[in-house]
Amino acid sequence: MGFVSHRVDRKEIKPGDHIYTWRTAFAYAHHGIYVGENKVVHFTTGEKGYKSIQDSCLTCPDCGFHKNGSGVVLSCLDCFIGTGSLYLFQYGTNTYVHISRLRGGTCTIAKSDPPQEVIHRAMYLLQNGFGNYSLVLNNCEDFALYCKTSLLGRDCADRGNSGQVNGWAMAPLNVIVSSAVKVFRCSTPVAAVVGTGMHCLSRYANDIGVRKDVVKIKVEDMALFRS
């Protein structure tokens, strides 16, 4: 899975790490921030997500804690991982590593802030929320990326930071380009290479470490920035 994601043992992770686990046969990944003491802060879709966490945990009394109306939830590491495996999101990757990854939502060119700042943002948002959940514009990966970097897009109402979503969004264009290559009688392997290259380059161009429309926003000022 080296070209897809970075699997780790739970003993390897440290407080402030951005972790994730693949769901539904690697169809998508759920992201969160490990805050230590076997606990993860992550962003969910709402009450259904809280209930599934609370109902499944028999060992952690804090598991499923959230503020009313907020999608940010605290859970134990076991409930976060579920039946999947644990992966570490990588920061400060170089261009070649980023482009070589076949899936979005596993790494970024952007550098992480110090762990204590990451944990502060995650715990602050646990108490104050991260806005309304949106699969496209404001999801669990957006939450974790913000906690790690404090970066938000100026046009956050129209565009999120999620590498997964940006990868999906470019998929139709990649198919069109690959189809066009075939029309001009290039071989299927050539079309596949062109399509894959387009996919990887478009993910790179949309990475928060490359984009010019992102700015650092203090967590205490987030509500004002998004208003």
Side-chain angles (χ1 to χ4, degrees):
M1 295 297 292
F3 287 104
V4 179
S5 50
H6 186 64
R7 185 172 176 175
V8 294
D9 186 271
R10 63 178 62 205
K11 295 178 181 178
E12 298 178 65
I13 62 174
K14 304 179 293 295
D17 277 349
H18 174 172
I19 58 176
Y20 61 99
T21 181
W22 290 102
R23 303 279 170 85
T24 317
F26 293 95
Y28 71 98
H30 184 56
H31 297 248
I33 298 295
Y34 182 65
V35 295
E37 299 182 351
N38 203 43
K39 295 176 183 178
V40 184
V41 178
H42 51 118
F43 191 40
T44 70
T45 54
E47 293 298 333
K48 185 177 180 181
Y50 311 143
K51 192 174 188 306
S52 64
I53 294 170
Q54 291 168 331
D55 290 348
S56 63
C57 189
L58 301 175
T59 59
C60 179
D62 295 329
C63 205
F65 171 82
H66 67 282
K67 290 288 189 175
N68 289 335
S70 171
V72 183
V73 60
L74 179 75
S75 70
C76 70
L77 186 59
D78 289 332
C79 288
F80 176 82
I81 297 173
T83 58
S85 298
L86 182 64
Y87 296 84
L88 180 66
F89 195 101
Q90 295 178 299
Y91 285 80
T93 57
N94 63 48
T95 301
Y96 302 106
V97 170
H98 190 284
I99 292 176
S100 72
R101 289 294 172 87
L102 300 179
R103 292 290 298 267
T106 63
C107 64
T108 177
I109 301 293
K111 293 183 178 181
S112 170
D113 289 331
Q116 62 271 22
E117 294 182 21
V118 176
I119 295 170
H120 168 71
R121 290 181 196 122
M123 298 306 293
Y124 182 92
L125 294 172
L126 178 63
Q127 297 295 328
N128 295 275
F130 191 63
N132 295 324
Y133 185 95
S134 167
L135 178 62
V136 175
L137 299 176
N138 197 43
N139 61 35
C140 58
E141 186 185 347
D142 290 292
F143 171 81
L145 285 167
Y146 173 74
C147 289
K148 288 288 284 186
T149 66
S150 78
L151 291 172
L152 287 177
R154 292 190 182 92
D155 299 322
C156 55
D158 301 312
R159 183 184 187 188
N161 292 332
S162 169
Q164 284 189 101
V165 171
N166 287 328
W168 296 334
M170 292 301 296
L173 176 60
N174 299 334
V175 171
I176 292 171
V177 171
S178 297
S179 299
V181 171
K182 289 182 181 179
V183 168
F184 287 102
R185 298 185 179 181
C186 292
S187 65
T188 298
V190 170
V193 170
V194 171
T196 301
M198 284 286 296
H199 171 74
C200 294
L201 289 172
S202 64
R203 283 196 300 99
Y204 174 78
N206 283 285
D207 185 84
I208 61 167
V210 176
R211 286 166 49 184
K212 303 300 183 183
D213 66 325
V214 295
V215 290
K216 278 190 169 287
I217 302 295
K218 290 183 178 180
V219 68
E220 294 84 1
D221 297 334
M222 176 180 289
L224 181 62
F225 177 78
R226 285 184 159 181
S227 61

